[in-house]
Every structure is written in structure tokens, then in C-alpha cells.
């Protein structure tokens, strides 16, 4: 339920339903921020009088007259945010199921798409609702089972990005399923290459590049994926500047769904720990995709990802890549991923816009 509340009526756990301005040109807090006590203190400090919020309904908030009504109670409780623990448990179950299916594909079986759909779609739906959990996907993964985590995570990210871009739920779930199956062709790549703990040779990399063709061939007969989704699987390693594979496609010949899969794929790959390198900060990776990889990805897709996982606000507690913990004090308009941070250890303020070797590692809930 969306209502306006005065600052004195706020409590931790309430979500903002519109951007908040504190006599400032730019928002001091963004829509969908889940308030903490520190956020409420910042609102008071900026002289904000009232804000539009959405209150969460809990079991104790349900009237006694409705508690015996299974329809009313279930409808309300279905909209409750799931706990991180429960969501991670369901995510791990999906990874285990995917790993089992992958072993069948290695043995020569075609993907049982209805089965994959059965354990992927419910997870996609939960992550689309719980977008703040997306920043934790790289923490869920591990290097030894990366390929299974990667496929599940790419599906989740693709569904969330397409939803953020305004696509209908059906399109988002279709693309999420396509994302989960995009690397099924990896089952045809020799395990010695996939499990190698060093960088691949040129010959080995050329073998890996065949996986998009294998993936499309393995799922081409399923009626559960539309043709545009099958094309997205084929093209998810293509780049707008023609530097991708398997065909070196350029610009308009690459579909927007392919681009969404491409951004989801590279973001999770760069933020996850691999056998041959450490993971990188999600915020630094978004910055790298925007700057160092400029021209390769659809900027609308990258901006949607930015809004999903990199939408920072004043008052948020963060951990930096050097281990320091601090609070966001100011966000630069031109470099929003590099705000000014007040360190908790000594109270000094560090401007990440000038200290480029340091970045935000993660938000502290």
C-alpha cells in the first residue's frame, strides 16, 4: 500500500515509492530504496518533511477477520519479499538441478526444456520482484561450479534487465529461459578446456567459441522458446562493433534480446570468481562496460543494468574494494558510480571520482 508519511512516522524496512529531493537538484534517495535508520537520519538532516512509501504487510497486520480466509491471506503473503536465505536456497537448488541436466547433455541427450523451465521460471519471477538481490548473485557463485552458476545467473539477469526496460512479463521470462540455456552447448566442449585453471590458448578459445552453435542446435526443435529467443542464444556473444562471434555481426543485425543476453553474460562473468582470476566489483564492472567496452553493447541495455544494480543513494553504507566501510555522502552527476564516501574507520571523506584505484565493492544491507 502506497501512502505519504512524515519522517517521524518512518521505520526501517519501508520502501520509497518516488525519488526524494532535499532542496537539491538531484535526488538524495532513489525510488525503491529500502529505508534503514541511517536513511531516515539523512532525510531529517536534509529537512525532508514527508515521503511517499510502500508499507509491507506482515501476518500480524492482517485483520483477524481475514486470517481465516485462505485467499486473502495468501494473496497478501505472496507479495511479501522473500528472505535472502530462502532465495539463496532456491537459487542453489536451481544450480544443482542445472548441473544434473548438464551431465545428461554431456552424455549426448538433448535438453529437456520443460524440465529446465520448471525450475528456472519460478526463480526468475522471484528475482524480478526482489531486484535488490541481484547485486548478490556474484556472492552466490563459486569458481569450481562456475558454469552452472553462470547459466542460472544469466537467466536471472536477462529477465530482470528486460523487465527493467519495460518488456512484458512473458518476454522477460522467455528471455530468462533463453539465458539459462544459452550455454548448454558448453556440454559439447571438452571438460579439460572448461575446467582449465589458466587462460586458454588461441586454439582452446576457438573451441569454446563453437558453443553458441552447439547451443542453438541442441534447442532448435523445442516449441517452448520462440524463434527470436533462439536467435538471441546464437548471437549472445556478438558485439555491435563486429568484434564478437560466431559471425561477427554488427549493429542492427544483432537483436535487442541478443544484446540483453550479451550484457547479462559479460556482467556476471566479470563479477564472478573464476578458476584463473578473482571476481571484480559489480560497480566497477558496470563502469568498465560503459567506458572500456564502449561501442560493443547497446547503451540502453547497459543503462537498465545500471539502474538495477548500480543505483546508489546518499546515506547508503557500502564496502570498498580496499576493505574500508563507509557512508555515501555525495553522488556526482557525471560519475554516479564513484561517489564521495565518509569512512567509518576515521571519519575522513574519500572521493572515488579521483581515487580511481578504489571502487564500491558492495552495499551493506
Amino acid at each position: 500500500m502506497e501512502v505519504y508519511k512524515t519522517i517521524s512516522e518512518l521505520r526501517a524496512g519501508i520502501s520509497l515509492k518516488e525519488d526524494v529531493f532535499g532542496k537539491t537538484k538531484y535526488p538524495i534517495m532513489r525510488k525503491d530504496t529500502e529505508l534503514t535508520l541511517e536513511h531516515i537520519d539523512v532525510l531529517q538532516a536534509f529537512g525532508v518533511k514527508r515521503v511517499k512509501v510502500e508499507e509491507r504487510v506482515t501476518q500480524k497486520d492482517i485483520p483477524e477477520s481475514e486470517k481465516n480466509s485462505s485467499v486473502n491471506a495468501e494473496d497478501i503473503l505472496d507479495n511479501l519479499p522473500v528472505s535472502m536465505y530462502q532465495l539463496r536456497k532456491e537459487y542453489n537448488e536451481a544450480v544443482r538441478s542445472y548441473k544434473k541436466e548438464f551431465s545428461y547433455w554431456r552424455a549426448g541427450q538433448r535438453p529437456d526444456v520443460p524440465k529446465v523451465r520448471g525450475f528456472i521460471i519460478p526463480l526468475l519471477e522471484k528475482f524480478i520482484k526482489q531486484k535488490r538481490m541481484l547485486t548478490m548473485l556474484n556472492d552466490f557463485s563459486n569458481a569450481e561450479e562456475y558454469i552452472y552458476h553462470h547459466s542460472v545467473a544469466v537467466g536471472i539477469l536477462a529477465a530482470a534487465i528486460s523487465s527493467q526496460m519495460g518488456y512484458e512479463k512473458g518476454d522477460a521470462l522467455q528471455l530468462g529461459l533463453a539465458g539459462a540455456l544459452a550455454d548448454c552447448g558448453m556440454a559439447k566442449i571438452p571438460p579439460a578446456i572448461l575446467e582449465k585453471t589458466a587462460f586458454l590458448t588461441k586454439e582452446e578459445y576457438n573451441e569454446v567459441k563453437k558453443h553458441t552453435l552447439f547451443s542453438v542446435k541442441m534447442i532448435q526443435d523445442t516449441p517452448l522458446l520462440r524463434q527470436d529467443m533462439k536467435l538471441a542464444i546464437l548471437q549472445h556473444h556478438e558485439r555491435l562493433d563486429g568484434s564478437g562471434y560466431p559471425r561477427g555481426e554488427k549493429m542492427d543485425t544483432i537483436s535487442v534480446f541478443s544484446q540483453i543476453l550479451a550484457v547479462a553474460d559479460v556482467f556476471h562473468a566479470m563479477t564472478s570468481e573464476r578458476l584463473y582470476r578473482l571476481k571484480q566489483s559489480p560497480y566497477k564492472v558496470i563502469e568498465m562496460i560503459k567506458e572500456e567496452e564502449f561501442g560493443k553493447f547497446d547503451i540502453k541495455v547497459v543503462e537498465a543494468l545500471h539502474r538495477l544494480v548500480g543505483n546508489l543513494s546518499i546515506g547508503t553504507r557500502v564496502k570498498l574494494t580496499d576493505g574500508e566501510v563507509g557512508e555515501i555522502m555525495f553522488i556526482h552527476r557525471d560519475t554516479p558510480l564513484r561517489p564521495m564516501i565518509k569512512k567509518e574507520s576515521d571519519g575522513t571523506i574519500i572521493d572515488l571520482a579521483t581515487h580511481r584505484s578504489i571502487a564500491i565493492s558492495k552495499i551493506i544491507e
Side-chain angles (χ1 to χ4, degrees):
M1 180 175 64
E2 296 183 7
V3 295
Y4 280 96
K5 282 187 174 289
T6 63
I7 303 306
S8 62
E9 294 176 311
L10 297 179
R11 63 178 187 273
I14 292 178
S15 294
L16 294 175
K17 296 316 293 177
E18 61 184 11
D19 291 347
V20 178
F21 297 79
K23 298 179 182 179
T24 54
K25 186 176 180 180
Y26 304 107
I28 60 173
M29 288 184 198
R30 295 285 186 181
K31 179 182 176 181
D32 294 328
T33 296
E34 184 175 314
L35 295 178
T36 64
L37 295 178
E38 290 80 6
H39 285 129
I40 296 170
D41 288 341
V42 170
L43 291 172
Q44 289 177 323
F46 274 87
V48 177
K49 301 300 182 184
R50 67 175 195 156
V51 293
K52 188 177 183 180
V53 299
E54 180 175 44
E55 288 202 278
R56 292 175 176 173
V57 181
T58 61
Q59 183 68 31
K60 63 182 176 62
D61 295 321
I62 302 174
E64 288 295 330
S65 60
E66 294 183 6
K67 284 184 179 178
N68 292 326
S69 170
S70 60
V71 175
N72 289 335
E74 287 176 6
D75 285 347
I76 293 171
L77 292 175
D78 278 349
N79 290 321
L80 282 175
V82 295
S83 70
M84 186 193 308
Y85 169 80
Q86 181 62 27
L87 193 56
R88 183 164 189 167
K89 180 181 177 183
E90 293 179 27
Y91 167 90
N92 286 335
E93 288 172 355
V95 170
R96 282 193 291 271
S97 296
Y98 189 94
K99 181 178 180 180
K100 185 176 181 180
E101 294 303 304
F102 196 87
S103 68
Y104 297 149
W105 306 337
R106 271 187 168 163
Q109 294 185 24
R110 286 186 177 272
D112 185 340
V113 179
K115 194 169 184 179
V116 175
R117 189 182 187 280
F119 64 76
I120 284 292
I121 295 297
L123 194 63
L124 302 183
E125 292 177 320
K126 287 184 173 67
F127 270 96
I128 287 174
K129 289 182 180 179
Q130 304 300 318
K131 294 176 182 177
R132 65 191 180 90
M133 297 290 192
L134 294 171
T135 58
M136 302 173 191
L137 281 175
N138 61 329
D139 288 331
F140 292 177
S141 184
N142 65 70
E144 291 74 22
E145 297 184 313
Y146 166 77
I147 191 169
Y148 319 118
H149 284 275
H150 182 65
S151 294
V152 172
V154 167
I156 291 169
L157 286 165
I161 292 171
S162 50
S163 177
Q164 179 70 29
M165 292 177 69
Y167 285 98
E168 296 292 333
K169 182 179 178 181
D171 287 332
L173 295 181
Q174 266 278 298
L175 192 57
L177 178 59
L181 290 166
D183 279 356
C184 66
M186 287 289 191
K188 304 302 180 185
I189 307 300
I193 294 178
L194 294 184
E195 296 163 10
K196 189 175 179 180
T197 58
F199 285 100
L200 301 179
T201 64
K202 183 178 180 179
E203 292 73 21
E204 290 169 336
Y205 184 52
N206 285 336
E207 276 299 306
V208 170
K209 287 164 68 174
K210 296 176 183 177
H211 80 274
T212 56
L213 298 170
F214 292 145
S215 293
V216 169
K217 186 174 182 180
M218 289 165 68
I219 54 85
Q220 64 183 355
D221 295 331
T222 180
L224 294 181
L225 278 175
R226 302 194 315 241
Q227 284 301 121
D228 53 352
M229 299 301 165
K230 294 173 184 177
L231 177 63
I233 290 175
L234 174 66
Q235 293 185 331
H236 77 279
H237 280 288
E238 299 286 6
R239 300 293 181 257
L240 296 182
D241 62 358
S243 63
Y245 63 85
R247 297 174 177 171
E249 304 272 14
K250 288 185 178 181
M251 301 303 290
D252 294 341
T253 60
I254 305 172
S255 77
V256 65
F257 290 132
S258 306
Q259 275 295 297
I260 293 172
L261 283 192
V263 170
D265 176 85
V266 74
F267 176 76
H268 185 260
M270 294 175 71
T271 56
S272 298
E273 184 179 355
R274 309 288 290 274
L275 291 171
Y276 51 85
R277 65 162 169 76
L278 298 175
K279 63 184 178 183
Q280 300 186 64
S281 156
Y283 305 95
K284 186 175 181 179
V285 167
I286 292 175
E287 193 174 57
M288 292 169 67
I289 292 174
K290 282 186 170 183
E291 297 175 4
E292 298 177 21
E293 302 295 319
F294 182 77
K296 294 186 177 183
F297 301 98
D298 187 329
I299 192 63
K300 297 189 297 295
V301 178
V302 178
E303 288 296 339
L305 174 67
H306 184 167
R307 292 193 298 274
L308 279 171
V309 303
N311 204 9
L312 303 170
S313 57
I314 291 172
T316 301
R317 289 182 74 233
V318 296
K319 185 175 182 180
L320 304 180
T321 51
D322 65 354
E324 290 275 5
V325 173
E327 179 182 334
I328 296 177
M329 302 301 292
F330 180 79
I331 297 175
H332 301 285
R333 178 184 180 184
D334 296 330
T335 54
L337 294 171
R338 292 193 161 274
M340 297 174 68
I341 310 290
K342 182 179 181 180
K343 295 192 289 186
E344 291 184 357
S345 59
D346 56 12
T348 60
I349 294 179
I350 179 172
D351 189 348
L352 300 185
T354 56
H355 291 76
R356 305 290 295 186
S357 62
I358 302 173
I360 292 174
S361 172
K362 65 179 180 179
I363 291 175
I364 300 176
E365 293 291 335

